[in-house]
Amino acid sequence: MAKGSVTKRCGCSELVNGKRQQIGRKCPKLRRADGTWNPRHGTWGFSISLPGPDGKAKPVTRSGFATQVEAAAELDSLRDQARRGLSAGNRQYMGEYLDQWLATKTDVRPKTVRSYEGHIRTHLRPNLGHLRLDQLRPQHVSEALATVESSDANRQRVRATLRTALSDAVRAGLLHSNPAKLVKLPSGKPPKALVWNAERVERWQETGEIPSPVMVWTPQQAGTFLDETAEDPLSPMFHLIAHVGLRRGEACGLGWEDVDLVNGTITVRISRTVVGNQIIEGPPKSDAGGRTVALDRGTVEVLRDHRKTQVGERLRLGSTWVESGKLFTRPDGSALNPNQVSNRFHALTARAGLPPIRVHDLRHCAATFALAAGVDMKLVQTMLGHSTLAMTSDIYTAVLPEVAREAAERAAGIIPRAGVGTGSVTPASYRDLEQS
């Protein structure tokens, strides 16, 4: 098999007999005075003769690579494909490949498939669909991701979909390497969680400004919400989420068989989620999501009262009661739509006059309050169903100082002092410290 050759050329031209002709590889600007390649002029390419679809040798020429290494890697890829019997004339385009790939993704959660489909339809097919799979370059991927609006985190998610699709292409022998892996993006860290302290609440009341997509109530605000909504049918669900940090889908998926009020535990086995216009039940989002969570005595009493209320409603409705077996239900006993739970939560929050958070942020509240109360980070990780301790730490340590400040003040007040304000440090005392 031919080795092929890697060359550098440019688009410069010159007049020859009154006609302008490309200089190509002979351009003197391609090299510096010392004979080394000039990185600021020209692009790299390669040429090789490989078997075509009919088995006959076919010249293959590619250009436009930023570096000699990239051109050589692509040349190696083509040679490798030819050795495995893949034709150099394979003209599958990205749009076709992505559609075929999506149709094979039966081994992932429906919500993940829907996310893949949205990324392909909105971003990848419009920007990359016209390119041949075997000619896809990191530059093409960078340009496509640059069109993704919203946030760095969203661009990371789109890139993750493409990386997964192209990794499967590599495993299938359609590509030698994954161009999406070579593209660098900002980290796309999730937005920082902020506490609704007095200053932020005041500004929200004046301007409607919500300073972060992820907001956390103070313990006092959470208590106000639970007090103000205690008579609502979904109050027990919100109480449970606020105390043990369940995800919305996990709370909707709980059945009475998952509740042990004698030993004070619940077991998370099923998550009830919305995918498009469908409600789907399945296992939690990760292996760590399947867990048993301990309940405090107050929450056990809330669930006992809730069970008595539900039994009363079942008796009252008789044959019209829908036996879903769920812990939390609609008035007729049928399972809840998670989106309706969010709508009800927002309505109750507004009625209580509290600054807005999401149902998922009530889960953040539970974790933050537990950490502020001194619960070990590892226990909080288990309670939340996080796969790693780092995930728990990264999300919640930033908000702890604000939530824990009141506890710190109480702890400081235990130390007896001789007068009011004797703990303050003046500029003069700072100067004394510097001179000592």
Side-chain angles (χ1 to χ4, degrees):
M1 182 181 297
K3 289 185 177 181
S5 61
V6 176
T7 58
K8 193 175 190 185
R9 61 190 308 135
C10 67
C12 295
S13 60
E14 61 181 2
L15 285 173
V16 178
N17 298 325
K19 294 183 179 179
R20 187 160 292 279
Q21 297 180 354
Q22 292 269 332
I23 302 177
R25 291 178 292 177
K26 298 179 180 179
C27 179
K29 296 180 182 179
L30 290 174
R31 292 185 181 271
R32 299 189 181 100
D34 61 0
T36 59
W37 293 108
N38 179 3
R40 298 184 179 181
H41 192 76
T43 59
W44 289 91
F46 66 83
S47 60
I48 189 173
S49 181
L50 294 173
D54 56 1
K56 296 181 179 180
K58 173 186 176 182
V60 179
T61 302
R62 305 268 170 84
S63 60
F65 297 92
T67 67
Q68 186 177 12
V69 173
E70 288 182 17
E74 184 61 22
L75 177 60
D76 289 341
S77 173
L78 281 183
R79 279 201 299 259
D80 182 62
Q81 290 180 36
R83 279 193 292 270
R84 286 178 287 160
L86 296 175
S87 168
N90 181 3
R91 300 185 62 85
Q92 186 175 33
Y93 285 84
M94 279 295 297
E96 177 188 4
Y97 170 74
L98 290 171
D99 289 345
Q100 292 176 354
W101 172 80
L102 185 64
T104 68
K105 302 313 291 179
T106 58
D107 57 338
V108 295
R109 294 163 61 91
K111 197 168 185 178
T112 303
V113 172
R114 184 172 179 82
S115 176
Y116 287 162
E117 187 278 329
H119 293 161
I120 291 171
R121 172 173 42 81
T122 307
H123 305 293
L124 300 178
R125 175 177 266 284
N127 292 293
L128 301 175
H130 64 287
L131 298 171
R132 276 175 42 186
L133 174 62
D134 62 337
Q135 294 181 345
L136 187 67
R137 303 286 177 269
Q139 182 179 353
H140 299 140
V141 177
S142 293
E143 291 171 352
L145 294 176
T147 68
V148 178
E149 299 177 351
S150 180
S151 65
D152 290 335
N154 195 38
R155 279 182 281 276
Q156 287 281 7
R157 286 188 285 269
V158 174
R159 199 266 293 266
T161 295
L162 182 61
R163 282 184 62 169
T164 303
L166 296 182
S167 291
D168 286 348
V170 172
R171 280 188 285 272
L174 302 177
L175 288 177
H176 179 69
S177 60
N178 188 336
K181 287 185 176 181
L182 303 177
V183 176
K184 293 183 178 180
L185 289 176
S187 62
K189 292 181 180 180
K192 180 180 177 182
L194 297 177
V195 176
W196 275 117
N197 59 26
E199 293 79 8
R200 291 174 185 139
V201 172
E202 182 178 359
R203 183 167 180 80
W204 165 72
Q205 291 171 336
E206 293 174 353
T207 67
E209 177 186 335
I210 301 174
S212 172
V214 181
M215 298 301 298
V216 178
W217 279 335
T218 64
Q220 292 76 17
Q221 290 163 343
T224 297
F225 174 81
L226 295 177
D227 288 342
E228 292 290 327
T229 61
E231 300 303 317
D232 190 84
L234 290 184
S235 176
M237 170 187 274
F238 298 137
H239 177 104
L240 183 63
I241 296 174
H243 283 74
V244 300
L246 295 185
R247 298 177 177 92
R248 181 187 69 172
E250 294 170 347
C252 291
L254 278 175
W256 279 109
E257 70 272 20
D258 304 318
V259 181
D260 183 350
L261 296 181
V262 175
N263 295 305
T265 64
I266 57 169
T267 300
V268 179
R269 299 182 303 107
I270 296 172
S271 182
R272 186 173 170 84
T273 57
V274 180
V275 180
N277 295 322
Q278 290 185 308
I279 298 176
I280 295 177
E281 288 194 357
K285 65 182 298 186
S286 68
D287 290 341
R291 61 202 188 276
T292 297
V293 181
L295 304 176
D296 61 275
R297 285 176 293 187
T299 299
V300 169
E301 289 304 313
V302 167
L303 295 183
R304 280 180 176 154
D305 290 342
H306 172 64
R307 182 169 60 182
K308 293 176 184 176
T309 300
Q310 192 178 92
V311 169
E313 285 300 295
R314 184 191 296 119
L315 293 173
R316 186 178 68 83
L317 292 178
S319 61
T320 60
W321 174 265
V322 179
E323 193 57 67
S324 66
K326 296 299 184 185
L327 178 62
F328 305 113
T329 68
R330 294 164 57 88
D332 65 353
S334 58
L336 288 163
N337 180 325
N339 286 343
Q340 293 175 340
V341 171
S342 291
N343 293 338
R344 185 60 182 165
F345 178 77
H346 296 320
L348 293 172
T349 298
R351 193 176 74 185
L354 290 165
I357 65 170
R358 305 166 301 167
V359 175
H360 195 76
D361 296 331
L362 202 58
R363 164 178 164 86
H364 293 323
C365 290
T368 305
F369 300 161
L371 291 167
V375 177
D376 182 76
M377 184 79 73
K378 183 65 178 177
L379 293 177
V380 175
Q381 175 202 346
T382 302
M383 178 183 80
L384 296 174
H386 282 163
S387 56
T388 66
L389 187 63
M391 181 184 298
T392 309
S393 177
D394 289 346
I395 293 174
Y396 298 111
T397 51
V399 300
L400 277 176
E402 292 183 71
V403 175
R405 188 168 293 125
E406 183 180 344
E409 292 292 344
R410 290 198 303 268
I414 295 175
I415 303 173
R417 302 301 302 275
V420 178
T422 55
S424 62
V425 181
T426 65
S429 62
Y430 274 120
R431 287 193 295 272
D432 292 341
L433 288 172
E434 291 172 357
Q435 294 169 3
S436 62

